[in-house]
Amino acid sequence: MPVFLTRLTLPFAILMIAFATFVRAPALISEFSAVLLWSPYVILPLIAGVALFLMHYALVYTAVLLLAAYWVIQTYLQTTMALELTFLRYLMLNLLLPLLFVVVGTFGEKSPMTWQGKTILGLCFLPIFVALLMPMLNETNLVGSLPDLFYRRLYEQSWLSMASLSSYVPSFAFLAAMYWLQPTLLRAFWVYGLSIIFLLFLFFSEPLISAFCFSILAALLLIILVQELFELAYVDELTNIPGRKALEKNMASLGRHYSLAMLDVDHFKKFNDTYGHDVGDQVLRMVAQQINNVSGGGKAFRYGGEEFTILFPGKNVDQVKIHLEMVREAIATYTLNLRDNERPQDDKQGKQQRGSKQSNGVSVTISIGVAEKTAELSDAKEVIKMADKALYKAKSAGRNRVVSF
C-alpha cells in the first residue's frame, strides 16, 4: 500500500470504529453531542487559516467546502425529509458535493488571488447558495420536472436516491485514479472523504451522524495539516529525505554511542557548470535515494548543498564502514541517463533512438568521512566537525573513498 495512504489508514480505521461504537451507544450521543456539533465549526476554519498561510490552497478549498456543506446540513436538514424543501436541499447537496470534490481535486492549487482560484472558492460556497435559493427554485415547479429516478431510494430505510450514484460513482473513480497516478496525502483524503460523505447520507437518519462524520473529516484533515507542517520543517523538498534540522533533533535524542558519516558529491560544482542545475538536481535526488537505502540501521539526511549525512545509532566506525562502502559503490556504478536535447519530435523515431543506445549517461562519485561519538568526543557538534575533517581527508586522498577519523 502506498505510503501516503497508510498514513491515513490507521486514523481512519480508528475513527470509523469509534463511529460504529458511537451510533450504537445512546449515552455517548447525549454526553458528547455539544462537542461533536461544534468541533467542525472550530477545526475546519483553523485548518483553512493555517493552510492559507502555508499557501496550500487545495487544503484551504477542501476545508471551506466541508464547512459550507456542514452548515447546510445543520441549518436546513435537521427536519423531516417529508418536507419538500428539506428533501430538495438533501438531494442537491448529494449531487453537488462529489462533483465539487472533483473540482477542488483538479484545480485546487490555484491561488485565491487569481480568477481561477476565486471561481473555485465561489464554487465551494455553492451548497450554501443553492440551499438559500431553494424556495425560489421550488416556485418554478422544480420537483415536478425531476424524473422519478431522483426519488427512487437505494433501499427503503434510506433517503439516498438512485440518481445520487450518478454523482458519487464517477467522482469516486476520478479521485481514486488521481491518487493512483500521483499519491499524496490530500488525494488520499479526498478518496476517504467522499466515502465518509456517502456513508453519512446513506445512514442520514442516525442521531448526530452528520456531526460525527464531519468531525471525522475535520480530524483527518487536521492530521494532514500536521504532517504538512512536519515535512515543511524537517523534510528537504528537493530530495524528500530529512534535512539538517531533523538531523540535529535525532542527534540530541540519541544515547552515548553512535557514528556519523558526512558524504559529499565529488566535483559537483564542475558537474553543475557542465550539465546545468536541472541535471545537478537529478544527481542530488539519485544520491539521496541511494543513501536512503543504506543498510546497518543508518538514517540519511541532507546536510546542505551537495553534502549529506548518515547517522548510525549504537554503532562504532568499524561496524559502519562496510555499509558506507556499499553506498559509495552503488553511487559510483550508477548511470544517470540524460535526455538528448535533439530528441526527434516523431514518437516512432524517438523510440528507435532510445533503443539504439544513443542516449547520454553520466555518473558521479562521493567521498565519505566518518567519526563516532566517544567519551572524549561527546558533543554532537564536535562529532560533525570530526566527520567533516575525515571527509576532507577523503577528498585530499583522491576522492571516491571512505575515511574514518
Side-chain angles (χ1 to χ4, degrees), residues 130-184:
V130 171
L132 291 171
L133 294 174
M134 192 54 67
M136 186 185 304
L137 295 174
N138 194 37
E139 291 178 0
T140 63
N141 194 25
L142 178 64
V143 176
S145 64
L146 295 174
D148 293 340
L149 182 65
F150 279 83
Y151 305 100
R152 196 177 306 159
R153 303 184 191 182
L154 292 181
Y155 63 94
E156 188 176 352
Q157 288 76 29
S158 175
W159 285 93
L160 199 64
S161 70
M162 292 293 294
S164 301
L165 296 180
S166 65
S167 183
Y168 280 103
V169 173
S171 298
F172 185 87
F174 181 85
L175 293 172
M178 282 182 61
Y179 174 79
W180 181 261
L181 293 173
Q182 187 179 356
T184 66

Short mmCIF file of all heavy atoms in Angstrom, two decimals, residues 130-184:
data_model
loop_
_atom_site.label_atom_id
_atom_site.label_comp_id
_atom_site.label_asym_id
_atom_site.label_seq_id
_atom_site.Cartn_x
_atom_site.Cartn_y
_atom_site.Cartn_z
N VAL A 130 -27.18 27.41 -3.14
CA VAL A 130 -28.30 26.58 -3.62
C VAL A 130 -29.33 26.38 -2.52
O VAL A 130 -30.55 26.46 -2.76
CB VAL A 130 -27.78 25.23 -4.13
CG1 VAL A 130 -28.95 24.28 -4.44
CG2 VAL A 130 -26.93 25.43 -5.38
N ALA A 131 -28.86 26.13 -1.29
CA ALA A 131 -29.79 25.95 -0.17
C ALA A 131 -30.60 27.21 0.09
O ALA A 131 -31.81 27.14 0.36
CB ALA A 131 -29.00 25.55 1.08
N LEU A 132 -29.96 28.37 0.00
CA LEU A 132 -30.66 29.63 0.23
C LEU A 132 -31.66 29.94 -0.89
O LEU A 132 -32.73 30.50 -0.65
CB LEU A 132 -29.65 30.79 0.34
CG LEU A 132 -28.76 30.79 1.58
CD1 LEU A 132 -27.67 31.86 1.45
CD2 LEU A 132 -29.59 31.03 2.84
N LEU A 133 -31.33 29.56 -2.11
CA LEU A 133 -32.18 29.85 -3.27
C LEU A 133 -33.25 28.79 -3.51
O LEU A 133 -34.06 28.94 -4.42
CB LEU A 133 -31.32 29.99 -4.53
CG LEU A 133 -30.36 31.19 -4.58
CD1 LEU A 133 -29.48 31.11 -5.80
CD2 LEU A 133 -31.13 32.50 -4.57
N MET A 134 -33.22 27.72 -2.72
CA MET A 134 -34.13 26.61 -2.98
C MET A 134 -35.61 27.00 -2.97
O MET A 134 -36.38 26.52 -3.83
CB MET A 134 -33.87 25.47 -1.99
CG MET A 134 -34.58 24.17 -2.37
SD MET A 134 -34.20 23.63 -4.05
CE MET A 134 -32.47 23.24 -3.89
N PRO A 135 -36.08 27.86 -2.03
CA PRO A 135 -37.50 28.26 -2.11
C PRO A 135 -37.85 28.92 -3.44
O PRO A 135 -38.92 28.65 -4.00
CB PRO A 135 -37.65 29.24 -0.94
CG PRO A 135 -36.59 28.86 0.02
CD PRO A 135 -35.43 28.42 -0.84
N MET A 136 -36.96 29.75 -3.97
CA MET A 136 -37.20 30.41 -5.25
C MET A 136 -37.21 29.39 -6.38
O MET A 136 -38.05 29.44 -7.28
CB MET A 136 -36.13 31.47 -5.50
CG MET A 136 -36.35 32.33 -6.73
SD MET A 136 -34.96 33.46 -7.02
CE MET A 136 -34.91 34.33 -5.45
N LEU A 137 -36.25 28.44 -6.32
CA LEU A 137 -36.20 27.41 -7.36
C LEU A 137 -37.42 26.52 -7.31
O LEU A 137 -37.92 26.06 -8.34
CB LEU A 137 -34.92 26.56 -7.19
CG LEU A 137 -33.59 27.27 -7.39
CD1 LEU A 137 -32.43 26.35 -7.04
CD2 LEU A 137 -33.45 27.74 -8.84
N ASN A 138 -37.92 26.28 -6.11
CA ASN A 138 -39.07 25.39 -5.96
C ASN A 138 -40.34 26.02 -6.53
O ASN A 138 -41.26 25.30 -6.95
CB ASN A 138 -39.27 25.06 -4.48
CG ASN A 138 -40.22 23.89 -4.29
OD1 ASN A 138 -40.22 22.95 -5.08
ND2 ASN A 138 -41.03 23.95 -3.25
N GLU A 139 -40.39 27.33 -6.58
CA GLU A 139 -41.55 28.00 -7.16
C GLU A 139 -41.66 27.75 -8.65
O GLU A 139 -42.73 27.93 -9.24
CB GLU A 139 -41.47 29.51 -6.89
CG GLU A 139 -41.67 29.87 -5.42
CD GLU A 139 -41.52 31.36 -5.18
OE1 GLU A 139 -41.28 32.08 -6.18
OE2 GLU A 139 -41.65 31.80 -4.03
N THR A 140 -40.57 27.34 -9.28
CA THR A 140 -40.59 27.06 -10.73
C THR A 140 -41.00 25.62 -11.00
O THR A 140 -40.76 25.10 -12.08
CB THR A 140 -39.20 27.32 -11.33
OG1 THR A 140 -38.27 26.42 -10.73
CG2 THR A 140 -38.77 28.76 -11.06
N ASN A 141 -41.60 24.97 -9.99
CA ASN A 141 -42.05 23.57 -10.12
C ASN A 141 -40.88 22.64 -10.43
O ASN A 141 -40.96 21.77 -11.29
CB ASN A 141 -43.13 23.45 -11.20
CG ASN A 141 -43.86 22.12 -11.11
OD1 ASN A 141 -43.92 21.50 -10.04
ND2 ASN A 141 -44.40 21.65 -12.24
N LEU A 142 -39.77 22.85 -9.69
CA LEU A 142 -38.58 22.03 -9.89
C LEU A 142 -38.86 20.56 -9.59
O LEU A 142 -38.42 19.68 -10.30
CB LEU A 142 -37.45 22.54 -8.99
CG LEU A 142 -36.13 21.77 -9.03
CD1 LEU A 142 -35.52 21.87 -10.42
CD2 LEU A 142 -35.16 22.32 -7.98
N VAL A 143 -39.66 20.32 -8.54
CA VAL A 143 -39.95 18.94 -8.14
C VAL A 143 -40.68 18.20 -9.24
O VAL A 143 -40.36 17.06 -9.58
CB VAL A 143 -40.77 18.92 -6.84
CG1 VAL A 143 -41.17 17.49 -6.48
CG2 VAL A 143 -40.00 19.56 -5.70
N GLY A 144 -41.66 18.86 -9.84
CA GLY A 144 -42.43 18.19 -10.88
C GLY A 144 -41.63 17.90 -12.13
O GLY A 144 -41.97 16.99 -12.89
N SER A 145 -40.57 18.66 -12.35
CA SER A 145 -39.77 18.47 -13.57
C SER A 145 -38.70 17.40 -13.42
O SER A 145 -38.07 17.01 -14.40
CB SER A 145 -39.11 19.79 -13.97
OG SER A 145 -38.20 20.21 -12.97
N LEU A 146 -38.48 16.93 -12.19
CA LEU A 146 -37.44 15.91 -11.97
C LEU A 146 -37.97 14.53 -12.31
O LEU A 146 -39.11 14.19 -11.96
CB LEU A 146 -36.96 15.94 -10.52
CG LEU A 146 -36.24 17.21 -10.06
CD1 LEU A 146 -35.95 17.15 -8.57
CD2 LEU A 146 -34.95 17.41 -10.84
N PRO A 147 -37.18 13.70 -12.98
CA PRO A 147 -37.63 12.34 -13.28
C PRO A 147 -37.76 11.49 -12.00
O PRO A 147 -37.20 11.82 -10.96
CB PRO A 147 -36.53 11.79 -14.19
CG PRO A 147 -35.38 12.71 -14.04
CD PRO A 147 -35.87 14.01 -13.53
N ASP A 148 -38.49 10.40 -12.11
CA ASP A 148 -38.74 9.53 -10.95
C ASP A 148 -37.46 8.98 -10.36
O ASP A 148 -37.41 8.63 -9.18
CB ASP A 148 -39.66 8.37 -11.35
CG ASP A 148 -41.06 8.86 -11.69
OD1 ASP A 148 -41.40 9.98 -11.25
OD2 ASP A 148 -41.80 8.14 -12.39
N LEU A 149 -36.42 8.87 -11.18
CA LEU A 149 -35.15 8.31 -10.71
C LEU A 149 -34.59 9.10 -9.53
O LEU A 149 -33.92 8.54 -8.66
CB LEU A 149 -34.13 8.30 -11.86
CG LEU A 149 -32.75 7.68 -11.55
CD1 LEU A 149 -32.88 6.20 -11.25
CD2 LEU A 149 -31.80 7.92 -12.71
N PHE A 150 -34.88 10.39 -9.49
CA PHE A 150 -34.37 11.24 -8.42
C PHE A 150 -35.01 10.90 -7.07
O PHE A 150 -34.47 11.23 -6.03
CB PHE A 150 -34.61 12.71 -8.75
CG PHE A 150 -33.59 13.28 -9.68
CD1 PHE A 150 -33.69 13.11 -11.05
CD2 PHE A 150 -32.50 13.98 -9.19
CE1 PHE A 150 -32.74 13.63 -11.91
CE2 PHE A 150 -31.54 14.50 -10.05
CZ PHE A 150 -31.66 14.33 -11.41
N TYR A 151 -36.15 10.23 -7.09
CA TYR A 151 -36.84 9.92 -5.84
C TYR A 151 -36.70 8.45 -5.45
O TYR A 151 -37.03 8.09 -4.32
CB TYR A 151 -38.34 10.26 -5.97
CG TYR A 151 -38.59 11.68 -6.39
CD1 TYR A 151 -38.90 11.99 -7.72
CD2 TYR A 151 -38.49 12.71 -5.48
CE1 TYR A 151 -39.11 13.30 -8.10
CE2 TYR A 151 -38.70 14.03 -5.85
CZ TYR A 151 -39.01 14.31 -7.17
OH TYR A 151 -39.22 15.62 -7.55
N ARG A 152 -36.25 7.63 -6.36
CA ARG A 152 -36.14 6.19 -6.08
C ARG A 152 -34.98 5.95 -5.12
O ARG A 152 -33.83 6.26 -5.41
CB ARG A 152 -35.91 5.44 -7.39
CG ARG A 152 -36.17 3.94 -7.28
CD ARG A 152 -35.99 3.28 -8.63
NE ARG A 152 -36.80 3.92 -9.65
CZ ARG A 152 -36.57 3.84 -10.95
NH1 ARG A 152 -35.52 3.16 -11.38
NH2 ARG A 152 -37.36 4.44 -11.81
N ARG A 153 -35.27 5.39 -3.95
CA ARG A 153 -34.26 5.22 -2.91
C ARG A 153 -33.40 3.99 -3.18
O ARG A 153 -33.83 3.04 -3.83
CB ARG A 153 -34.92 5.08 -1.54
CG ARG A 153 -35.82 6.23 -1.17
CD ARG A 153 -36.34 6.03 0.24
NE ARG A 153 -37.40 6.99 0.55
CZ ARG A 153 -38.01 7.07 1.73
NH1 ARG A 153 -37.67 6.22 2.68
NH2 ARG A 153 -38.96 7.96 1.94
N LEU A 154 -32.17 4.02 -2.61
CA LEU A 154 -31.29 2.87 -2.73
C LEU A 154 -31.87 1.68 -1.96
O LEU A 154 -31.78 0.54 -2.39
CB LEU A 154 -29.90 3.21 -2.17
CG LEU A 154 -29.09 4.23 -2.97
CD1 LEU A 154 -27.73 4.44 -2.33
CD2 LEU A 154 -28.91 3.78 -4.42
N TYR A 155 -32.45 1.96 -0.79
CA TYR A 155 -33.21 0.95 -0.06
C TYR A 155 -34.24 1.69 0.80
O TYR A 155 -34.17 2.90 0.98
CB TYR A 155 -32.32 0.03 0.77
CG TYR A 155 -31.54 0.70 1.87
CD1 TYR A 155 -32.04 0.76 3.17
CD2 TYR A 155 -30.30 1.28 1.63
CE1 TYR A 155 -31.33 1.37 4.19
CE2 TYR A 155 -29.58 1.90 2.63
CZ TYR A 155 -30.10 1.95 3.91
OH TYR A 155 -29.39 2.55 4.91
N GLU A 156 -35.18 0.96 1.33
CA GLU A 156 -36.37 1.58 1.90
C GLU A 156 -36.08 2.52 3.06
O GLU A 156 -36.71 3.57 3.19
CB GLU A 156 -37.33 0.48 2.37
CG GLU A 156 -38.68 1.02 2.80
CD GLU A 156 -39.66 -0.10 3.16
OE1 GLU A 156 -39.32 -1.28 2.92
OE2 GLU A 156 -40.72 0.22 3.70
N GLN A 157 -35.10 2.18 3.93
CA GLN A 157 -34.84 2.99 5.11
C GLN A 157 -33.95 4.21 4.84
O GLN A 157 -33.69 5.00 5.74
CB GLN A 157 -34.18 2.13 6.21
CG GLN A 157 -35.09 1.14 6.88
CD GLN A 157 -35.37 -0.08 6.01
OE1 GLN A 157 -34.52 -0.46 5.19
NE2 GLN A 157 -36.54 -0.67 6.16
N SER A 158 -33.46 4.34 3.62
CA SER A 158 -32.56 5.46 3.31
C SER A 158 -33.24 6.45 2.38
O SER A 158 -34.03 6.08 1.52
CB SER A 158 -31.28 4.93 2.65
OG SER A 158 -30.47 6.00 2.24
N TRP A 159 -32.90 7.73 2.56
CA TRP A 159 -33.40 8.77 1.68
C TRP A 159 -32.49 8.98 0.48
O TRP A 159 -32.81 9.74 -0.43
CB TRP A 159 -33.56 10.08 2.44
CG TRP A 159 -34.75 10.08 3.35
CD1 TRP A 159 -34.78 9.74 4.66
CD2 TRP A 159 -36.09 10.39 2.98
NE1 TRP A 159 -36.07 9.85 5.16
CE2 TRP A 159 -36.89 10.25 4.13
CE3 TRP A 159 -36.72 10.80 1.79
CZ2 TRP A 159 -38.26 10.48 4.14
CZ3 TRP A 159 -38.07 11.05 1.79
CH2 TRP A 159 -38.85 10.88 2.95
N LEU A 160 -31.32 8.34 0.47
CA LEU A 160 -30.38 8.50 -0.64
C LEU A 160 -30.98 7.90 -1.90
O LEU A 160 -31.39 6.73 -1.92
CB LEU A 160 -29.06 7.82 -0.31
CG LEU A 160 -27.84 8.25 -1.13
CD1 LEU A 160 -27.52 9.71 -0.88
CD2 LEU A 160 -26.64 7.39 -0.79
N SER A 161 -31.03 8.69 -2.98
CA SER A 161 -31.71 8.25 -4.19
C SER A 161 -30.75 7.57 -5.16
O SER A 161 -29.53 7.72 -5.07
CB SER A 161 -32.36 9.45 -4.89
OG SER A 161 -31.37 10.30 -5.42
N MET A 162 -31.32 6.84 -6.09
CA MET A 162 -30.53 6.18 -7.12
C MET A 162 -29.77 7.20 -7.97
O MET A 162 -28.66 6.95 -8.42
CB MET A 162 -31.44 5.35 -8.02
CG MET A 162 -32.07 4.14 -7.34
SD MET A 162 -30.87 2.87 -6.91
CE MET A 162 -30.34 2.35 -8.53
N ALA A 163 -30.38 8.37 -8.17
CA ALA A 163 -29.74 9.39 -9.00
C ALA A 163 -28.43 9.86 -8.40
O ALA A 163 -27.53 10.30 -9.12
CB ALA A 163 -30.68 10.57 -9.19
N SER A 164 -28.30 9.76 -7.06
CA SER A 164 -27.07 10.21 -6.41
C SER A 164 -25.86 9.41 -6.88
O SER A 164 -24.73 9.93 -6.88
CB SER A 164 -27.20 10.11 -4.89
OG SER A 164 -28.28 10.89 -4.43
N LEU A 165 -26.09 8.16 -7.27
CA LEU A 165 -24.98 7.33 -7.74
C LEU A 165 -24.34 7.91 -8.99
O LEU A 165 -23.15 7.70 -9.24
CB LEU A 165 -25.46 5.90 -7.99
CG LEU A 165 -25.95 5.12 -6.77
CD1 LEU A 165 -26.39 3.72 -7.19
CD2 LEU A 165 -24.86 5.04 -5.72
N SER A 166 -25.13 8.64 -9.78
CA SER A 166 -24.58 9.25 -11.00
C SER A 166 -23.56 10.32 -10.68
O SER A 166 -22.78 10.72 -11.53
CB SER A 166 -25.71 9.85 -11.85
OG SER A 166 -26.32 10.93 -11.16
N SER A 167 -23.55 10.80 -9.43
CA SER A 167 -22.57 11.78 -8.99
C SER A 167 -21.45 11.12 -8.20
O SER A 167 -20.27 11.42 -8.41
CB SER A 167 -23.26 12.86 -8.15
OG SER A 167 -22.35 13.86 -7.78
N TYR A 168 -21.81 10.20 -7.31
CA TYR A 168 -20.80 9.58 -6.45
C TYR A 168 -19.86 8.64 -7.20
O TYR A 168 -18.64 8.70 -7.01
CB TYR A 168 -21.48 8.80 -5.32
CG TYR A 168 -21.94 9.65 -4.17
CD1 TYR A 168 -23.28 9.98 -4.03
CD2 TYR A 168 -21.04 10.14 -3.23
CE1 TYR A 168 -23.73 10.78 -2.98
CE2 TYR A 168 -21.47 10.94 -2.18
CZ TYR A 168 -22.81 11.25 -2.06
OH TYR A 168 -23.23 12.04 -1.03
N VAL A 169 -20.39 7.77 -8.03
CA VAL A 169 -19.58 6.73 -8.67
C VAL A 169 -18.49 7.31 -9.57
O VAL A 169 -17.30 7.01 -9.40
CB VAL A 169 -20.46 5.71 -9.43
CG1 VAL A 169 -19.59 4.75 -10.24
CG2 VAL A 169 -21.34 4.95 -8.46
N PRO A 170 -18.83 8.18 -10.54
CA PRO A 170 -17.75 8.73 -11.39
C PRO A 170 -16.80 9.63 -10.62
O PRO A 170 -15.60 9.66 -10.91
CB PRO A 170 -18.50 9.51 -12.47
CG PRO A 170 -19.86 9.76 -11.92
CD PRO A 170 -20.15 8.63 -11.01
N SER A 171 -17.31 10.35 -9.63
CA SER A 171 -16.44 11.22 -8.84
C SER A 171 -15.45 10.40 -8.03
O SER A 171 -14.25 10.73 -7.97
CB SER A 171 -17.27 12.11 -7.90
OG SER A 171 -18.12 12.95 -8.64
N PHE A 172 -15.93 9.33 -7.41
CA PHE A 172 -15.04 8.47 -6.64
C PHE A 172 -14.00 7.82 -7.54
O PHE A 172 -12.81 7.76 -7.20
CB PHE A 172 -15.85 7.38 -5.93
CG PHE A 172 -15.04 6.52 -5.01
CD1 PHE A 172 -14.82 6.89 -3.69
CD2 PHE A 172 -14.47 5.34 -5.46
CE1 PHE A 172 -14.05 6.11 -2.84
CE2 PHE A 172 -13.70 4.55 -4.63
CZ PHE A 172 -13.50 4.94 -3.31
N ALA A 173 -14.43 7.36 -8.73
CA ALA A 173 -13.49 6.73 -9.68
C ALA A 173 -12.43 7.74 -10.13
O ALA A 173 -11.24 7.40 -10.23
CB ALA A 173 -14.26 6.18 -10.88
N PHE A 174 -12.84 8.98 -10.38
CA PHE A 174 -11.90 10.02 -10.82
C PHE A 174 -10.88 10.33 -9.73
O PHE A 174 -9.68 10.41 -9.99
CB PHE A 174 -12.68 11.28 -11.20
CG PHE A 174 -11.81 12.40 -11.71
CD1 PHE A 174 -11.44 12.46 -13.04
CD2 PHE A 174 -11.36 13.40 -10.86
CE1 PHE A 174 -10.63 13.48 -13.52
CE2 PHE A 174 -10.56 14.43 -11.32
CZ PHE A 174 -10.19 14.47 -12.65
N LEU A 175 -11.34 10.51 -8.49
CA LEU A 175 -10.43 10.83 -7.39
C LEU A 175 -9.49 9.66 -7.08
O LEU A 175 -8.31 9.87 -6.78
CB LEU A 175 -11.24 11.20 -6.14
CG LEU A 175 -12.04 12.50 -6.25
CD1 LEU A 175 -12.95 12.66 -5.04
CD2 LEU A 175 -11.13 13.71 -6.39
N ALA A 176 -10.00 8.45 -7.18
CA ALA A 176 -9.16 7.27 -6.96
C ALA A 176 -8.08 7.17 -8.05
O ALA A 176 -6.93 6.82 -7.76
CB ALA A 176 -10.01 6.00 -6.93
N ALA A 177 -8.45 7.50 -9.28
CA ALA A 177 -7.47 7.47 -10.38
C ALA A 177 -6.41 8.55 -10.18
O ALA A 177 -5.22 8.32 -10.43
CB ALA A 177 -8.19 7.67 -11.72
N MET A 178 -6.82 9.73 -9.72
CA MET A 178 -5.86 10.79 -9.43
C MET A 178 -4.85 10.34 -8.37
O MET A 178 -3.65 10.58 -8.50
CB MET A 178 -6.59 12.05 -8.93
CG MET A 178 -7.25 12.87 -10.02
SD MET A 178 -8.04 14.36 -9.34
CE MET A 178 -6.63 15.20 -8.62
N TYR A 179 -5.38 9.69 -7.34
CA TYR A 179 -4.48 9.22 -6.28
C TYR A 179 -3.54 8.15 -6.81
O TYR A 179 -2.35 8.13 -6.48
CB TYR A 179 -5.29 8.67 -5.10
CG TYR A 179 -4.38 8.05 -4.06
CD1 TYR A 179 -3.69 8.85 -3.16
CD2 TYR A 179 -4.16 6.68 -4.04
CE1 TYR A 179 -2.82 8.30 -2.25
CE2 TYR A 179 -3.29 6.12 -3.13
CZ TYR A 179 -2.62 6.94 -2.24
OH TYR A 179 -1.74 6.38 -1.35
N TRP A 180 -4.05 7.25 -7.64
CA TRP A 180 -3.23 6.17 -8.17
C TRP A 180 -2.09 6.72 -9.03
O TRP A 180 -0.96 6.22 -8.96
CB TRP A 180 -4.11 5.22 -8.98
CG TRP A 180 -3.36 4.04 -9.54
CD1 TRP A 180 -2.87 3.90 -10.80
CD2 TRP A 180 -3.00 2.85 -8.83
NE1 TRP A 180 -2.24 2.69 -10.94
CE2 TRP A 180 -2.29 2.02 -9.75
CE3 TRP A 180 -3.22 2.40 -7.54
CZ2 TRP A 180 -1.81 0.78 -9.38
CZ3 TRP A 180 -2.73 1.16 -7.18
CH2 TRP A 180 -2.03 0.37 -8.10
N LEU A 181 -2.37 7.74 -9.82
CA LEU A 181 -1.37 8.31 -10.71
C LEU A 181 -0.33 9.12 -9.94
O LEU A 181 0.85 9.11 -10.29
CB LEU A 181 -2.04 9.18 -11.77
CG LEU A 181 -2.92 8.44 -12.79
CD1 LEU A 181 -3.67 9.43 -13.66
CD2 LEU A 181 -2.07 7.51 -13.65
N GLN A 182 -0.76 9.82 -8.91
CA GLN A 182 0.17 10.64 -8.12
C GLN A 182 -0.30 10.66 -6.67
O GLN A 182 -1.06 11.54 -6.26
CB GLN A 182 0.25 12.06 -8.67
CG GLN A 182 1.34 12.90 -7.99
CD GLN A 182 1.42 14.30 -8.56
OE1 GLN A 182 0.73 14.63 -9.51
NE2 GLN A 182 2.26 15.13 -7.97
N PRO A 183 0.15 9.69 -5.87
CA PRO A 183 -0.35 9.60 -4.49
C PRO A 183 0.16 10.71 -3.59
O PRO A 183 1.36 10.95 -3.50
CB PRO A 183 0.17 8.23 -4.03
CG PRO A 183 1.34 7.94 -4.90
CD PRO A 183 1.07 8.60 -6.21
N THR A 184 -0.76 11.41 -2.96
CA THR A 184 -0.44 12.40 -1.95
C THR A 184 -1.42 12.23 -0.79
O THR A 184 -2.46 11.59 -0.94
CB THR A 184 -0.53 13.84 -2.48
OG1 THR A 184 -1.91 14.12 -2.80
CG2 THR A 184 0.34 14.05 -3.70
#
